[in-house]
Amino acid sequence: MRRLSLDGLSRRFGAVQALDAVSFGVEAGTVHALMGENGAGKSTLIRILSGLDRPGAGTVAVDGAPLPPGDPAAVQSAGIRVLHQELHVVPALSVAENMHLALPVPRRLGLVDWRRLNAAAAAALERLGLSRIAPAAPMGDLGPGDQMLVRIAATLIRPEGAAAPWLYVLDEPTAALTGAEAERLFAVLDELTGAGAGVLYVSHRMDEVMRLASRVTVLRDGAHVSTRPMADTSDARIIEEMTGRALSDLFPPRAGAAPGPVALSCAGLSAGPLRDAALEVRAGEILGLAGLAGSGRGALLRALMGALPRQAGTVRVGGRALGPGTAAAWAAGLAYVPRERRSEGLMMRRPVAENVALPHLTALARGRVFLDHARQRRLAESQGRDVALKAASVAQAVGDLSGGNQQKTLFARALAGAPRVLLLDEPTRGVDVGAKFDLYRLIRRLAGGGTAVILASSDLPEVLGLADRICVLRAGRLAQTVENDGLSEADLLTLCYGRDAA
Amino acid sequence: MSGIVRRFGSLIGMAAIVLFFAVSLPDTFLTARNWLNISQQISMLTVVAATMTVVMVMGDFDLSVGAMASLAGVIAAALFVAGWPVPVALASAVAVGLLGGIFNGVLVSVVGILPFVATLATLTVFSGLAFVVSDGRTVFGRDIPEGFAALARGGLPLGSADGRPLVLPNLTLIAAAVVAAVWVVLEQTSYGRRLAAIGGNAEAARLAGLPVTWLRLSAFAFTGAGAAVAGLMYASRVASANPTQGDGLMLTAIAAVFLGMTLTRGGQPRVLATLAGVVVLGVLDNGLTQMRVDSYVREVLVGAIILLAVGASALGRRSWRRQG
């Protein structure tokens, strides 16, 4: 049985001890989860393991033989493949070309041997049961999930003389994937471990880890907390170990107050994939939107917000019809936290203050024209405190913050106008448990204060933990609205798939 | 130490250039007269580069400014020849610049053509129109009203040196006014911060309720009008107008904005940084000319210095990112 051993790994950046004498082992044939909040040292550990960074002390060894530090090629030839979180693909090149980016391209007479190139790619895809993906198709035509699977398949292509990979390191592989795409990834992981490979699986998502991993290692503040067989631990214990505090319940209790008047309603709403949707949400109520990927959860929010042009139907906010466009929506008291914080939400290189103020610039201007920089800063500071944002100052670039604090910046922006209706699309995606807890409390508090909240999420425990009522969408239609009363995750999933709850 | 070099490397480089000329040209370079002269030499470029900054904060740019400067000059000259009063002719030429800029804006933001392609096409259109309007000839001499030529020669008296009066040229005052106006618009109004937001993340700006199409369109109007004003300043200074005289402004203006971006935190275009970039280019041109460096060699040197500054800034940013 091949084995990767990390022994006493330490790494210091200035005053920060990013890793402090971390030791554990990973064995072939199993999925080993690595968990920890942002800043716990997961990324540093992965960088050292992949040879991109050198440890201050300690060694990485395969089968007892230490690997030279800071040497990615040695890691490769030891049979370890690291798939980093960011998708490194070239959308304009074909699937087969992307699979050969890091490999020698097969050649004949000095020219690319397209037949062999495509055949090698097809064989690798086939091995993972991915023959539906055509090697000659442009990479850009694939969704992020299939792109991830193609990258895994690429590691199966072996140039002559190279060792077969036996250990895969996956860093947050499902961060950009939909539920169905994640399922395909899990099937591939089963294939790999079934064939004797090991997986070191870094994830925030407790349900995935509980389901996939046979062992779990928890890091906190750079230190190794525990490595246990899954049978000896539980999600509550892992969360406790990650955060260092007991989370008796991730979700704060519901206030139980009766909801107020209807804050937002829509009827006959069609936009993008969405057909004929009707719903209403009351002040102080949290309405969950559940559904499989592609069911139109996100599209419904975008249509309400005016970001997706409405082909038919009306939206009313506080009884008054809402005009088209996002500006009208913000002006009517809607606020929106988009799904993709990097591409749709934040100006990564701009300060927190500018990011918070973005939709409120007119309100912050003297005479509606001249921007009041001091007021902008004060607004960002007070909103930042309100959402428990941790940043050196509001002048810090938002891209320098952790994922959780980036998400809190988006919440600060949405709340700065004291919205009547808050639209949240995957509000805790890619956020560590501590920040998640903060955001859940915040959402509850807002609802308690009379804000109507519509929450679309692929995270079923999140919907069940927060929502008062749940709308289930199927294939662009609002199929059912249920009270969130004694529903289990299985019940909700069954509804999403379109059968009646058992 | 390395942090200081990274942050202020371009400023140190600029100071070194000034020092070099001050030592090489001890009698003429560091005189008030020479700096007033430089300020006039760079005034046209300042106006074009400052208004170019307005579109560059959105991540766009405008290749047609040089052609527009030429067009505005010959339109004013043609109107002078037709006997229009000077103020009306000038206002008409600026209006043409404004319309040309709006046209660019429509192509980029409403039609959705890439700025490179759209403004490359309008560069050709404006340049062609300049030849059509002028019939390919230079307008000069008695066709140019005395009042128009006097504009560039006049200025604010500042006293005298060596028995000759020192004058702050009108063109410098115009350039300063344009820089001040662009600074107020970009840095002090919510309109300007919205343009910066589009440069930061256009989709986020749209979802936050910003009228992105209208904002992009309107920003191009500034650049068009700025180009026209610069073309008129040039025509006034040389008391003539021909259909190619503004063409060189475009590349230099973009270079000045890029030079300025090496000075700002996060490498973002800002108008005062652009002004610093323009000054560097102007000082180089002035000093090298006084040292009688051949004009072709001068171009090679200026290009090399731009590459050096932008390259050093890119390298500095990369090492910073590696640490972060």
Side-chain angles (χ1 to χ4, degrees):
Chain A
M1 185 72 77
R2 306 200 65 174
R3 183 181 162 85
L4 170 81
S5 332
L6 310 176
D7 191 14
L9 286 182
S10 295
R11 180 74 169 92
R12 174 180 275 282
F13 297 103
V16 181
Q17 187 78 43
L19 274 185
D20 189 5
V22 171
S23 306
F24 63 95
V26 182
E27 278 165 13
T30 63
V31 176
H32 189 125
L34 177 62
M35 300 198 75
E37 301 197 75
N38 285 327
K42 302 186 304 278
S43 309
T44 309
L45 189 120
I46 301 290
R47 285 180 63 80
I48 289 175
L49 177 53
S50 52
L52 296 175
D53 196 3
R54 291 158 179 274
T59 55
V60 178
V62 172
D63 300 332
L67 296 176
D71 184 354
V75 175
Q76 286 261 340
S77 54
I80 299 173
R81 297 286 180 277
V82 183
L83 276 78
H84 293 281
Q85 192 173 354
E86 299 81 25
L87 286 171
H88 295 290
V89 299
V90 187
L93 295 184
S94 74
V95 167
E97 285 172 283
N98 269 283
M99 291 172 73
H100 282 83
L101 282 181
L103 299 169
V105 172
R107 265 186 276 216
R108 205 171 55 160
L109 305 174
L111 303 177
V112 174
D113 186 344
W114 288 101
R115 191 178 305 190
R116 264 207 296 155
L117 180 86
N118 286 329
L125 289 167
E126 175 89 61
R127 272 187 61 196
L128 294 181
L130 300 172
S131 34
R132 67 192 160 75
I133 299 176
M139 196 70 167
D141 286 3
L142 271 50
D146 282 343
Q147 291 181 358
M148 171 70 73
L149 298 179
V150 166
R151 288 170 64 210
I152 295 176
T155 64
L156 300 177
I157 302 177
R158 259 192 291 157
E160 280 164 47
W166 66 275
L167 180 67
Y168 292 85
V169 180
L170 305 183
D171 189 4
E172 299 270 357
T174 55
L177 306 193
T178 62
E181 288 170 333
E183 288 301 326
R184 291 203 286 277
L185 171 69
F186 300 156
V188 165
L189 294 186
D190 281 345
E191 290 278 329
L192 292 172
T193 48
V199 177
L200 181 59
Y201 192 89
V202 183
S203 179
H204 281 306
R205 298 192 175 176
M206 190 60 69
D207 53 331
E208 289 175 5
V209 168
M210 296 306 287
R211 173 175 157 185
L212 294 170
S214 52
R215 292 172 76 78
V216 55
T217 292
V218 178
L219 299 182
R220 184 172 77 235
D221 299 332
H224 179 248
V225 178
S226 71
T227 296
R228 300 179 203 280
M230 208 41 115
D232 291 355
T233 187
S234 65
D235 49 359
R237 184 166 188 181
I238 292 172
I239 288 174
E240 227 178 287
E241 288 177 344
M242 278 166 58
T243 57
R245 55 182 157 157
L247 294 181
S248 48
D249 192 350
L250 194 54
F251 301 98
R254 281 191 239 173
V262 173
L264 175 145
S265 63
C266 70
L269 184 60
S270 293
L274 197 68
R275 290 288 162 272
D276 198 24
L279 60 76
E280 59 176 43
V281 58
R282 294 174 174 275
E285 185 184 34
I286 301 178
L287 179 68
L289 299 183
L292 303 175
S295 62
R297 274 176 307 175
L300 176 50
L301 292 188
R302 291 174 75 86
L304 292 175
M305 199 60 206
L308 191 63
R310 298 190 277 266
Q311 289 141 7
T314 53
V315 178
R316 292 183 168 276
V317 180
R320 300 181 58 178
L322 180 65
T326 49
W330 283 94
L334 267 60
Y336 177 49
V337 174
R339 171 200 292 254
E340 303 283 349
R341 63 171 165 267
R342 285 179 159 272
S343 60
E344 303 173 339
L346 295 169
M347 304 177 284
M348 298 306 279
R349 288 162 64 188
R350 299 296 166 95
V352 171
E354 286 187 24
N355 273 284
V356 171
L358 185 59
H360 315 293
L361 285 170
T362 304
L364 286 169
R366 272 178 294 230
R368 300 176 65 84
V369 173
F370 294 99
L371 183 66
D372 188 335
H373 291 271
R375 253 178 87 192
Q376 172 174 289
R377 195 188 63 240
R378 284 198 304 273
L379 174 81
E381 280 167 355
S382 70
Q383 290 301 323
R385 269 195 302 280
D386 204 39
V387 300
L389 177 74
K390 285 181 209 118
S393 85
V394 293
Q396 195 177 5
V398 81
D400 295 343
L401 303 179
S402 69
N405 283 307
Q406 289 177 4
Q407 197 69 11
K408 286 179 182 176
T409 304
L410 280 179
F411 270 79
R413 170 195 293 174
L415 303 182
R420 199 198 289 244
V421 184
L422 181 61
L423 308 180
L424 305 173
D425 197 354
E426 303 283 356
T428 63
R429 170 188 249 202
V431 157
D432 64 73
V433 178
K436 233 179 199 180
F437 184 71
D438 288 345
L439 291 174
Y440 290 156
R441 267 193 317 192
L442 179 66
I443 294 168
R444 265 270 177 268
R445 198 185 78 213
L446 288 166
T451 309
V453 179
I454 305 183
L455 163 83
S457 178
S458 58
D459 187 343
L460 295 182
E462 180 169 294
V463 176
L464 289 165
L466 288 173
D468 297 307
R469 285 185 302 139
I470 300 174
C471 288
V472 179
L473 287 100
R474 288 198 291 262
R477 291 185 182 274
L478 262 181
Q480 223 161 345
T481 303
V482 292
E483 290 293 324
N484 182 14
D485 192 8
L487 274 184
S488 72
E489 223 177 302
D491 295 338
L492 186 52
L493 195 62
T494 313
L495 288 175
C496 291
Y497 276 108
R499 281 159 279 151
D500 290 327
Chain B
M1 177 58 201
S2 69
I4 293 170
V5 172
R6 203 175 304 130
R7 181 83 181 82
F8 299 106
S10 295
L11 276 179
I12 294 169
M14 291 174 189
I17 290 170
V18 171
L19 196 70
F20 171 75
F21 288 132
V23 173
S24 310
L25 303 162
D27 299 328
T28 52
F29 186 72
L30 278 184
T31 60
R33 190 177 308 283
N34 190 45
W35 283 87
L36 288 172
N37 185 24
I38 292 176
S39 78
Q40 176 164 28
Q41 286 168 349
I42 64 173
S43 58
M44 282 87 41
L45 180 61
T46 304
V47 170
V48 176
T51 51
M52 178 73 82
T53 310
V54 179
V55 288
M56 286 185 72
V57 296
M58 300 186 303
D60 293 333
F61 53 91
D62 184 347
L63 299 180
S64 70
V65 287
M68 176 51 79
S70 304
L71 177 61
V74 296
I75 283 180
L79 295 178
F80 295 151
V81 172
W84 290 38
V86 172
V88 180
L90 296 186
S92 307
V94 173
V96 168
L98 203 63
L99 286 176
I102 291 172
F103 183 58
N104 278 328
V106 168
L107 294 178
V108 169
S109 81
V110 179
V111 184
I113 306 175
L114 287 176
F116 185 91
V117 180
T119 61
L120 188 62
T122 54
L123 179 162
T124 316
V125 170
F126 296 159
S127 182
L129 283 176
F131 277 96
V132 171
V133 169
S134 65
D135 210 8
R137 285 193 292 262
T138 300
V139 184
F140 65 101
R142 266 183 303 160
D143 286 334
I144 302 293
E146 178 51 30
F148 179 62
L151 182 75
R153 284 201 301 272
L156 204 64
L158 293 177
S160 67
D162 314 326
R164 283 182 297 155
L166 278 179
V167 174
L168 183 60
N170 282 335
L171 296 185
T172 304
L173 291 171
I174 294 172
V178 169
V179 169
V182 171
W183 180 79
V184 168
V185 168
L186 285 186
E187 308 276 340
Q188 301 301 326
T189 67
S190 44
Y191 170 81
R193 300 324 294 160
R194 290 193 169 106
L195 297 186
I198 293 173
N201 186 340
E203 178 63 6
R206 189 177 78 88
L207 292 177
L210 272 54
V212 173
T213 306
W214 187 86
L215 289 167
R216 276 182 92 187
L217 194 164
S218 65
F220 276 92
F222 280 90
T223 313
V229 168
L232 296 175
M233 290 162 70
Y234 198 100
S236 167
R237 182 155 170 250
V238 297
S240 66
N242 80 56
T244 59
Q245 67 190 15
D247 291 3
L249 284 169
M250 177 263 288
L251 282 176
T252 329
I254 293 179
V257 180
F258 277 122
L259 264 183
M261 283 161 67
T262 67
L263 289 174
T264 63
R265 205 176 346 161
Q268 285 163 19
R270 304 184 78 154
V271 70
L272 294 182
T274 296
L275 179 62
V278 171
V279 169
V280 169
L281 295 177
V283 166
L284 271 177
D285 202 50
N286 175 280
L288 292 174
T289 308
Q290 286 192 50
M291 289 176 69
R292 299 184 203 292
V293 175
D294 176 83
S295 72
Y296 302 134
V297 176
R298 216 156 67 206
E299 292 202 5
V300 173
L301 284 175
V302 169
I305 284 169
I306 291 171
L307 278 181
L308 193 73
V310 177
S313 158
L315 289 174
R317 202 155 291 138
R318 195 174 318 152
S319 72
W320 172 81
R321 203 172 287 153
R322 208 173 293 133
Q323 282 170 14

